[in-house]
Amino acid sequence: MVRPRKERPPHSDDAGRDTGAVAPGPPMADPAEVGAEPTGPAPSALPDPDDSESSGDRPRARHVERTPGGTVVAACARNGQASLLSWSPAQGFRADDIDDGPDDEAELTFESDERDVDVTVECRDRKPHATIDADN
């Protein structure tokens, strides 16, 4: 007599064996949250904008400067100090001699085998102004 085969739950014989299946991860983000702005700290945790000590060195005006050696993003704080927020050398260049501030002047040099490009940023009327000196 042939006995009918007993049904087993799926994967019951795979316990402890690598089946190639991927373990479930964390739940996916709610589509409404994707692309949403970060919430940030509670308003009470933010510095008082009228408090000169807390706002004096905070960036206010930003400027993007494109040069033959690369791109610099600079800012001026309310106290007139210049800062380099970021920089990206062009292909074949590297950033060197970086003084990213905050200071009266913030500067860096983009260097390549063929030339140097000096970038100096200072604040005039609380706005960043870049001076570019490119050696050929």
Side-chain angles (χ1 to χ4, degrees):
M1 174 168 144
V2 176
R3 288 186 171 172
R5 197 162 191 197
K6 194 174 180 181
E7 288 291 322
R8 291 190 237 166
H11 307 293
S12 65
D13 60 342
D14 294 334
R17 196 168 41 152
D18 183 10
T19 63
V22 177
M28 294 182 67
D30 180 350
E33 294 174 358
V34 174
E37 292 293 320
T39 57
S44 62
L46 296 174
D48 181 356
D50 296 327
D51 180 3
S52 60
E53 273 190 74
S54 66
S55 64
D57 60 353
R58 221 177 10 190
R60 184 173 185 196
R62 293 181 182 203
H63 175 70
V64 176
E65 187 69 33
R66 290 172 181 82
T67 76
T71 303
V72 174
V73 178
C76 289
R78 291 184 177 169
N79 64 5
Q81 300 280 293
S83 294
L84 302 180
L85 302 179
S86 65
W87 50 91
S88 179
Q91 186 171 358
F93 284 83
R94 64 191 166 280
D96 197 16
D97 301 325
I98 301 165
D99 177 6
D100 59 352
D103 207 340
D104 292 336
E105 291 182 345
E107 56 193 353
L108 64 75
T109 301
F110 290 120
E111 297 179 348
S112 76
D113 293 337
E114 291 84 34
R115 69 193 296 194
D116 291 350
V117 179
D118 296 318
V119 181
T120 303
V121 177
E122 59 185 341
C123 296
R124 297 184 198 148
D125 299 323
R126 295 185 179 173
K127 294 180 183 173
H129 289 273
T131 303
I132 311 303
D133 181 17
D135 297 339
N136 290 330

Short mmCIF file of all heavy atoms in Angstrom, two decimals, residues 74-135:
data_model
loop_
_atom_site.label_atom_id
_atom_site.label_comp_id
_atom_site.label_asym_id
_atom_site.label_seq_id
_atom_site.Cartn_x
_atom_site.Cartn_y
_atom_site.Cartn_z
N ALA A 74 31.91 79.55 -0.83
CA ALA A 74 32.37 80.38 0.28
C ALA A 74 31.19 81.07 0.92
O ALA A 74 30.13 81.22 0.31
CB ALA A 74 33.38 81.41 -0.22
N ALA A 75 31.39 81.52 2.16
CA ALA A 75 30.33 82.21 2.88
C ALA A 75 30.94 83.28 3.77
O ALA A 75 32.11 83.21 4.14
CB ALA A 75 29.53 81.23 3.73
N CYS A 76 30.10 84.25 4.10
CA CYS A 76 30.48 85.27 5.07
C CYS A 76 29.54 85.17 6.25
O CYS A 76 28.32 85.03 6.09
CB CYS A 76 30.35 86.66 4.46
SG CYS A 76 31.61 86.99 3.22
N ALA A 77 30.12 85.23 7.43
CA ALA A 77 29.32 85.22 8.64
C ALA A 77 28.87 86.65 8.94
O ALA A 77 29.36 87.61 8.35
CB ALA A 77 30.15 84.67 9.80
N ARG A 78 27.95 86.77 9.84
CA ARG A 78 27.46 88.10 10.21
C ARG A 78 28.55 88.99 10.78
O ARG A 78 28.48 90.19 10.70
CB ARG A 78 26.32 87.97 11.20
CG ARG A 78 25.09 87.38 10.56
CD ARG A 78 23.94 87.34 11.50
NE ARG A 78 22.78 86.83 10.79
CZ ARG A 78 21.67 86.47 11.37
NH1 ARG A 78 21.56 86.55 12.68
NH2 ARG A 78 20.67 86.02 10.67
N ASN A 79 29.59 88.37 11.34
CA ASN A 79 30.68 89.16 11.91
C ASN A 79 31.73 89.54 10.86
O ASN A 79 32.77 90.09 11.19
CB ASN A 79 31.33 88.42 13.07
CG ASN A 79 32.00 87.12 12.66
OD1 ASN A 79 32.07 86.78 11.48
ND2 ASN A 79 32.48 86.37 13.64
N GLY A 80 31.47 89.21 9.57
CA GLY A 80 32.37 89.61 8.50
C GLY A 80 33.51 88.64 8.23
O GLY A 80 34.37 88.93 7.41
N GLN A 81 33.53 87.50 8.86
CA GLN A 81 34.57 86.50 8.65
C GLN A 81 34.23 85.62 7.45
O GLN A 81 33.09 85.19 7.29
CB GLN A 81 34.73 85.63 9.90
CG GLN A 81 35.09 86.40 11.15
CD GLN A 81 36.58 86.71 11.18
OE1 GLN A 81 37.38 85.79 11.31
NE2 GLN A 81 36.92 87.96 11.07
N ALA A 82 35.25 85.35 6.62
CA ALA A 82 35.08 84.51 5.43
C ALA A 82 35.39 83.05 5.76
O ALA A 82 36.29 82.77 6.55
CB ALA A 82 36.00 84.99 4.31
N SER A 83 34.65 82.14 5.14
CA SER A 83 34.88 80.70 5.30
C SER A 83 34.72 80.02 3.96
O SER A 83 33.89 80.42 3.15
CB SER A 83 33.87 80.09 6.27
OG SER A 83 34.03 80.57 7.56
N LEU A 84 35.52 78.98 3.75
CA LEU A 84 35.31 78.09 2.61
C LEU A 84 34.46 76.93 3.11
O LEU A 84 34.87 76.20 4.01
CB LEU A 84 36.65 77.57 2.08
CG LEU A 84 37.66 78.62 1.63
CD1 LEU A 84 38.93 77.94 1.12
CD2 LEU A 84 37.08 79.53 0.57
N LEU A 85 33.27 76.79 2.58
CA LEU A 85 32.36 75.73 3.02
C LEU A 85 32.68 74.41 2.34
O LEU A 85 32.56 73.35 2.94
CB LEU A 85 30.91 76.13 2.73
CG LEU A 85 30.43 77.42 3.39
CD1 LEU A 85 28.99 77.69 3.00
CD2 LEU A 85 30.59 77.36 4.89
N SER A 86 33.06 74.48 1.05
CA SER A 86 33.43 73.27 0.32
C SER A 86 34.23 73.67 -0.90
O SER A 86 34.23 74.83 -1.31
CB SER A 86 32.20 72.46 -0.09
OG SER A 86 31.42 73.19 -1.02
N TRP A 87 34.95 72.69 -1.46
CA TRP A 87 35.72 72.91 -2.68
C TRP A 87 35.82 71.59 -3.41
O TRP A 87 35.78 70.52 -2.81
CB TRP A 87 37.10 73.50 -2.40
CG TRP A 87 37.86 72.75 -1.34
CD1 TRP A 87 38.72 71.71 -1.53
CD2 TRP A 87 37.81 72.97 0.07
NE1 TRP A 87 39.21 71.28 -0.33
CE2 TRP A 87 38.67 72.04 0.68
CE3 TRP A 87 37.13 73.88 0.89
CZ2 TRP A 87 38.86 71.98 2.05
CZ3 TRP A 87 37.33 73.82 2.25
CH2 TRP A 87 38.18 72.88 2.82
N SER A 88 35.93 71.71 -4.73
CA SER A 88 36.01 70.52 -5.57
C SER A 88 37.00 70.80 -6.70
O SER A 88 36.72 71.60 -7.59
CB SER A 88 34.62 70.20 -6.14
OG SER A 88 34.68 69.07 -6.97
N PRO A 89 38.17 70.18 -6.65
CA PRO A 89 39.16 70.41 -7.70
C PRO A 89 38.66 69.91 -9.06
O PRO A 89 37.95 68.91 -9.14
CB PRO A 89 40.38 69.60 -7.25
CG PRO A 89 40.16 69.30 -5.81
CD PRO A 89 38.68 69.29 -5.60
N ALA A 90 39.05 70.62 -10.12
CA ALA A 90 38.76 70.15 -11.48
C ALA A 90 39.63 68.93 -11.76
O ALA A 90 40.62 68.66 -11.05
CB ALA A 90 39.06 71.27 -12.48
N GLN A 91 39.29 68.20 -12.82
CA GLN A 91 40.05 67.02 -13.17
C GLN A 91 41.52 67.42 -13.41
O GLN A 91 41.80 68.39 -14.10
CB GLN A 91 39.47 66.36 -14.42
CG GLN A 91 40.14 65.06 -14.75
CD GLN A 91 39.41 64.31 -15.85
OE1 GLN A 91 38.39 64.74 -16.34
NE2 GLN A 91 39.95 63.18 -16.23
N GLY A 92 42.43 66.68 -12.79
CA GLY A 92 43.85 66.94 -12.93
C GLY A 92 44.41 67.89 -11.88
O GLY A 92 45.61 68.13 -11.82
N PHE A 93 43.54 68.46 -11.04
CA PHE A 93 43.96 69.38 -9.98
C PHE A 93 43.76 68.73 -8.61
O PHE A 93 42.99 67.79 -8.46
CB PHE A 93 43.14 70.68 -10.04
CG PHE A 93 43.55 71.61 -11.14
CD1 PHE A 93 43.06 71.44 -12.42
CD2 PHE A 93 44.40 72.67 -10.90
CE1 PHE A 93 43.42 72.30 -13.44
CE2 PHE A 93 44.78 73.53 -11.91
CZ PHE A 93 44.29 73.35 -13.19
N ARG A 94 44.42 69.28 -7.62
CA ARG A 94 44.23 68.89 -6.22
C ARG A 94 44.22 70.18 -5.40
O ARG A 94 44.79 71.19 -5.80
CB ARG A 94 45.34 67.94 -5.78
CG ARG A 94 46.72 68.57 -5.79
CD ARG A 94 47.84 67.53 -5.60
NE ARG A 94 49.14 68.10 -5.94
CZ ARG A 94 49.62 68.26 -7.17
NH1 ARG A 94 48.91 67.87 -8.21
NH2 ARG A 94 50.79 68.81 -7.38
N ALA A 95 43.58 70.15 -4.25
CA ALA A 95 43.52 71.31 -3.36
C ALA A 95 44.68 71.24 -2.37
O ALA A 95 44.98 70.18 -1.83
CB ALA A 95 42.19 71.36 -2.62
N ASP A 96 45.34 72.38 -2.15
CA ASP A 96 46.48 72.44 -1.25
C ASP A 96 46.48 73.79 -0.54
O ASP A 96 45.77 74.72 -0.95
CB ASP A 96 47.77 72.24 -2.04
CG ASP A 96 48.96 71.88 -1.14
OD1 ASP A 96 48.73 71.48 0.02
OD2 ASP A 96 50.10 71.99 -1.60
N ASP A 97 47.28 73.90 0.50
CA ASP A 97 47.42 75.16 1.27
C ASP A 97 46.05 75.73 1.64
O ASP A 97 45.77 76.90 1.40
CB ASP A 97 48.24 76.19 0.48
CG ASP A 97 49.62 75.68 0.15
OD1 ASP A 97 50.20 74.95 0.99
OD2 ASP A 97 50.13 76.00 -0.94
N ILE A 98 45.24 74.91 2.25
CA ILE A 98 43.86 75.29 2.56
C ILE A 98 43.79 76.01 3.91
O ILE A 98 44.22 75.47 4.92
CB ILE A 98 42.94 74.05 2.58
CG1 ILE A 98 43.00 73.35 1.23
CG2 ILE A 98 41.52 74.43 2.96
CD1 ILE A 98 42.43 71.95 1.24
N ASP A 99 43.25 77.21 3.89
CA ASP A 99 42.90 77.96 5.11
C ASP A 99 41.42 78.26 4.97
O ASP A 99 41.03 79.24 4.34
CB ASP A 99 43.73 79.24 5.22
CG ASP A 99 43.34 80.07 6.44
OD1 ASP A 99 42.52 79.61 7.26
OD2 ASP A 99 43.86 81.19 6.57
N ASP A 100 40.59 77.36 5.53
CA ASP A 100 39.15 77.47 5.28
C ASP A 100 38.43 78.44 6.20
O ASP A 100 37.22 78.60 6.10
CB ASP A 100 38.49 76.09 5.29
CG ASP A 100 38.67 75.34 6.58
OD1 ASP A 100 39.42 75.80 7.46
OD2 ASP A 100 38.06 74.28 6.72
N GLY A 101 39.15 79.13 7.11
CA GLY A 101 38.52 80.14 7.96
C GLY A 101 37.76 79.51 9.11
O GLY A 101 37.95 78.33 9.40
N PRO A 102 36.93 80.26 9.76
CA PRO A 102 36.63 81.66 9.48
C PRO A 102 37.79 82.58 9.85
O PRO A 102 38.47 82.38 10.85
CB PRO A 102 35.41 81.94 10.35
CG PRO A 102 35.46 80.95 11.45
CD PRO A 102 36.17 79.75 10.90
N ASP A 103 37.99 83.57 8.99
CA ASP A 103 39.08 84.53 9.16
C ASP A 103 38.79 85.72 8.25
O ASP A 103 37.83 85.70 7.49
CB ASP A 103 40.41 83.87 8.78
CG ASP A 103 41.60 84.49 9.50
OD1 ASP A 103 41.49 85.63 9.99
OD2 ASP A 103 42.62 83.81 9.57
N ASP A 104 39.66 86.73 8.31
CA ASP A 104 39.49 87.88 7.42
C ASP A 104 39.58 87.44 5.96
O ASP A 104 38.90 87.98 5.10
CB ASP A 104 40.53 88.96 7.71
CG ASP A 104 40.30 89.62 9.05
OD1 ASP A 104 39.15 89.60 9.55
OD2 ASP A 104 41.27 90.15 9.62
N GLU A 105 40.44 86.45 5.69
CA GLU A 105 40.56 85.85 4.37
C GLU A 105 40.56 84.34 4.51
O GLU A 105 41.18 83.81 5.43
CB GLU A 105 41.86 86.27 3.68
CG GLU A 105 41.93 87.71 3.28
CD GLU A 105 43.23 88.03 2.55
OE1 GLU A 105 44.18 87.22 2.60
OE2 GLU A 105 43.27 89.10 1.93
N ALA A 106 39.87 83.68 3.60
CA ALA A 106 39.93 82.22 3.51
C ALA A 106 40.52 81.92 2.14
O ALA A 106 40.21 82.63 1.17
CB ALA A 106 38.54 81.62 3.65
N GLU A 107 41.40 80.92 2.06
CA GLU A 107 42.07 80.70 0.79
C GLU A 107 42.48 79.25 0.59
O GLU A 107 42.56 78.48 1.55
CB GLU A 107 43.29 81.60 0.67
CG GLU A 107 44.28 81.43 1.81
CD GLU A 107 45.31 82.54 1.85
OE1 GLU A 107 45.37 83.38 0.95
OE2 GLU A 107 46.09 82.55 2.83
N LEU A 108 42.74 78.92 -0.68
CA LEU A 108 43.29 77.63 -1.04
C LEU A 108 43.94 77.76 -2.40
O LEU A 108 43.75 78.75 -3.11
CB LEU A 108 42.23 76.53 -1.04
CG LEU A 108 41.06 76.56 -2.02
CD1 LEU A 108 41.48 76.19 -3.42
CD2 LEU A 108 40.00 75.60 -1.56
N THR A 109 44.71 76.75 -2.75
CA THR A 109 45.35 76.68 -4.06
C THR A 109 44.96 75.37 -4.72
O THR A 109 45.08 74.30 -4.12
CB THR A 109 46.90 76.75 -3.93
OG1 THR A 109 47.25 77.97 -3.27
CG2 THR A 109 47.56 76.68 -5.29
N PHE A 110 44.44 75.48 -5.95
CA PHE A 110 44.23 74.30 -6.78
C PHE A 110 45.52 74.11 -7.57
O PHE A 110 45.96 75.02 -8.28
CB PHE A 110 43.05 74.49 -7.74
CG PHE A 110 41.71 74.52 -7.06
CD1 PHE A 110 40.89 75.62 -7.17
CD2 PHE A 110 41.25 73.42 -6.34
CE1 PHE A 110 39.63 75.65 -6.57
CE2 PHE A 110 39.99 73.44 -5.74
CZ PHE A 110 39.19 74.56 -5.86
N GLU A 111 46.15 72.94 -7.45
CA GLU A 111 47.43 72.68 -8.11
C GLU A 111 47.30 71.54 -9.11
O GLU A 111 46.59 70.57 -8.87
CB GLU A 111 48.49 72.29 -7.09
CG GLU A 111 48.82 73.36 -6.09
CD GLU A 111 49.87 72.92 -5.08
OE1 GLU A 111 50.17 71.70 -5.00
OE2 GLU A 111 50.38 73.79 -4.35
N SER A 112 48.01 71.69 -10.23
CA SER A 112 48.16 70.60 -11.20
C SER A 112 49.62 70.57 -11.61
O SER A 112 50.42 71.40 -11.17
CB SER A 112 47.26 70.82 -12.42
OG SER A 112 47.80 71.81 -13.28
N ASP A 113 49.97 69.65 -12.47
CA ASP A 113 51.35 69.58 -12.95
C ASP A 113 51.70 70.79 -13.81
O ASP A 113 52.86 71.17 -13.90
CB ASP A 113 51.58 68.29 -13.74
CG ASP A 113 51.50 67.06 -12.85
OD1 ASP A 113 51.69 67.19 -11.62
OD2 ASP A 113 51.23 65.97 -13.39
N GLU A 114 50.70 71.40 -14.44
CA GLU A 114 50.95 72.52 -15.36
C GLU A 114 50.74 73.90 -14.76
O GLU A 114 51.34 74.87 -15.18
CB GLU A 114 50.05 72.40 -16.61
CG GLU A 114 50.40 71.26 -17.53
CD GLU A 114 49.76 69.95 -17.07
OE1 GLU A 114 48.65 69.98 -16.53
OE2 GLU A 114 50.39 68.89 -17.25
N ARG A 115 49.84 74.02 -13.76
CA ARG A 115 49.52 75.36 -13.26
C ARG A 115 48.96 75.33 -11.85
O ARG A 115 48.49 74.30 -11.38
CB ARG A 115 48.57 76.09 -14.20
CG ARG A 115 47.17 75.47 -14.24
CD ARG A 115 46.31 75.96 -15.36
NE ARG A 115 46.00 77.36 -15.27
CZ ARG A 115 45.06 77.95 -15.99
NH1 ARG A 115 44.33 77.25 -16.83
NH2 ARG A 115 44.83 79.23 -15.86
N ASP A 116 48.98 76.49 -11.22
CA ASP A 116 48.37 76.70 -9.90
C ASP A 116 47.29 77.76 -10.03
O ASP A 116 47.44 78.72 -10.80
CB ASP A 116 49.40 77.19 -8.87
CG ASP A 116 50.42 76.14 -8.49
OD1 ASP A 116 50.24 74.96 -8.87
OD2 ASP A 116 51.40 76.49 -7.82
N VAL A 117 46.21 77.58 -9.28
CA VAL A 117 45.14 78.57 -9.24
C VAL A 117 44.90 78.90 -7.77
O VAL A 117 44.44 78.06 -7.00
CB VAL A 117 43.84 78.04 -9.89
CG1 VAL A 117 42.74 79.09 -9.82
CG2 VAL A 117 44.09 77.62 -11.34
N ASP A 118 45.25 80.15 -7.37
CA ASP A 118 45.05 80.60 -6.00
C ASP A 118 43.68 81.25 -5.89
O ASP A 118 43.32 82.10 -6.72
CB ASP A 118 46.12 81.61 -5.60
CG ASP A 118 47.52 81.01 -5.60
OD1 ASP A 118 47.66 79.87 -5.11
OD2 ASP A 118 48.45 81.67 -6.09
N VAL A 119 42.92 80.87 -4.87
CA VAL A 119 41.61 81.44 -4.62
C VAL A 119 41.63 82.06 -3.22
O VAL A 119 41.91 81.36 -2.24
CB VAL A 119 40.50 80.37 -4.71
CG1 VAL A 119 39.13 80.99 -4.46
CG2 VAL A 119 40.55 79.63 -6.03
N THR A 120 41.34 83.35 -3.14
CA THR A 120 41.27 84.05 -1.86
C THR A 120 39.88 84.67 -1.74
O THR A 120 39.42 85.35 -2.67
CB THR A 120 42.33 85.17 -1.78
OG1 THR A 120 43.61 84.58 -1.99
CG2 THR A 120 42.29 85.84 -0.42
N VAL A 121 39.22 84.43 -0.62
CA VAL A 121 37.88 84.96 -0.40
C VAL A 121 37.92 85.88 0.81
O VAL A 121 38.48 85.54 1.85
CB VAL A 121 36.86 83.83 -0.15
CG1 VAL A 121 35.48 84.40 0.16
CG2 VAL A 121 36.80 82.89 -1.35
N GLU A 122 37.34 87.06 0.65
CA GLU A 122 37.16 87.98 1.76
C GLU A 122 35.73 88.51 1.70
O GLU A 122 35.06 88.37 0.68
CB GLU A 122 38.19 89.12 1.70
CG GLU A 122 38.14 89.93 0.44
CD GLU A 122 39.25 90.97 0.38
OE1 GLU A 122 39.83 91.31 1.43
OE2 GLU A 122 39.53 91.44 -0.73
N CYS A 123 35.30 89.09 2.78
CA CYS A 123 33.93 89.58 2.85
C CYS A 123 33.90 91.09 2.69
O CYS A 123 34.67 91.81 3.34
CB CYS A 123 33.30 89.18 4.19
SG CYS A 123 33.17 87.40 4.37
N ARG A 124 33.03 91.55 1.80
CA ARG A 124 32.79 92.97 1.61
C ARG A 124 31.28 93.18 1.74
O ARG A 124 30.52 92.55 1.02
CB ARG A 124 33.25 93.43 0.23
CG ARG A 124 34.74 93.29 0.03
CD ARG A 124 35.13 93.85 -1.32
NE ARG A 124 36.44 93.34 -1.68
CZ ARG A 124 36.82 93.09 -2.91
NH1 ARG A 124 36.02 93.31 -3.92
NH2 ARG A 124 38.04 92.62 -3.14
N ASP A 125 30.89 94.04 2.64
CA ASP A 125 29.46 94.25 2.92
C ASP A 125 28.76 92.93 3.23
O ASP A 125 27.65 92.67 2.77
CB ASP A 125 28.78 94.95 1.75
CG ASP A 125 29.36 96.33 1.47
OD1 ASP A 125 29.71 97.02 2.45
OD2 ASP A 125 29.48 96.69 0.29
N ARG A 126 29.45 92.07 3.97
CA ARG A 126 28.94 90.77 4.41
C ARG A 126 28.66 89.81 3.26
O ARG A 126 27.90 88.86 3.40
CB ARG A 126 27.69 90.94 5.27
CG ARG A 126 27.97 91.64 6.57
CD ARG A 126 26.73 91.66 7.42
NE ARG A 126 27.01 92.31 8.69
CZ ARG A 126 26.11 92.60 9.58
NH1 ARG A 126 24.85 92.28 9.34
NH2 ARG A 126 26.41 93.19 10.70
N LYS A 127 29.28 90.05 2.10
CA LYS A 127 29.13 89.15 0.95
C LYS A 127 30.51 88.66 0.54
O LYS A 127 31.46 89.42 0.51
CB LYS A 127 28.47 89.88 -0.21
CG LYS A 127 27.04 90.28 0.08
CD LYS A 127 26.44 90.98 -1.08
CE LYS A 127 25.02 91.43 -0.73
NZ LYS A 127 24.44 92.28 -1.78
N PRO A 128 30.62 87.36 0.18
CA PRO A 128 31.92 86.83 -0.23
C PRO A 128 32.36 87.36 -1.60
O PRO A 128 31.56 87.42 -2.52
CB PRO A 128 31.70 85.32 -0.29
CG PRO A 128 30.28 85.06 0.02
CD PRO A 128 29.58 86.36 0.23
N HIS A 129 33.63 87.75 -1.66
CA HIS A 129 34.23 88.19 -2.91
C HIS A 129 35.52 87.40 -3.10
O HIS A 129 36.38 87.39 -2.22
CB HIS A 129 34.53 89.69 -2.89
CG HIS A 129 33.30 90.54 -2.94
ND1 HIS A 129 32.72 90.91 -4.12
CD2 HIS A 129 32.53 91.04 -1.95
CE1 HIS A 129 31.63 91.63 -3.85
NE2 HIS A 129 31.51 91.71 -2.53
N ALA A 130 35.64 86.75 -4.25
CA ALA A 130 36.81 85.90 -4.52
C ALA A 130 37.77 86.61 -5.44
O ALA A 130 37.37 87.29 -6.39
CB ALA A 130 36.36 84.58 -5.13
N THR A 131 39.05 86.44 -5.16
CA THR A 131 40.11 86.89 -6.05
C THR A 131 40.82 85.63 -6.56
O THR A 131 41.20 84.77 -5.76
CB THR A 131 41.12 87.77 -5.28
OG1 THR A 131 40.42 88.87 -4.71
CG2 THR A 131 42.21 88.28 -6.19
N ILE A 132 40.96 85.55 -7.87
CA ILE A 132 41.56 84.38 -8.50
C ILE A 132 42.88 84.79 -9.14
O ILE A 132 42.95 85.77 -9.88
CB ILE A 132 40.64 83.81 -9.62
CG1 ILE A 132 39.20 83.64 -9.12
CG2 ILE A 132 41.20 82.52 -10.19
CD1 ILE A 132 39.04 82.78 -7.93
N ASP A 133 43.93 84.03 -8.83
CA ASP A 133 45.24 84.26 -9.44
C ASP A 133 45.68 82.94 -10.05
O ASP A 133 46.03 82.00 -9.34
CB ASP A 133 46.25 84.74 -8.38
CG ASP A 133 47.61 85.03 -8.97
OD1 ASP A 133 47.74 85.18 -10.20
OD2 ASP A 133 48.57 85.12 -8.18
N ALA A 134 45.63 82.87 -11.39
CA ALA A 134 45.95 81.63 -12.09
C ALA A 134 47.30 81.76 -12.77
O ALA A 134 47.50 82.64 -13.61
CB ALA A 134 44.86 81.30 -13.10
N ASP A 135 48.25 80.88 -12.41
CA ASP A 135 49.54 80.80 -13.09
C ASP A 135 49.37 79.95 -14.32
O ASP A 135 48.71 78.93 -14.29
CB ASP A 135 50.60 80.14 -12.20
CG ASP A 135 50.88 80.93 -10.93
OD1 ASP A 135 50.59 82.14 -10.91
OD2 ASP A 135 51.38 80.32 -9.96
#
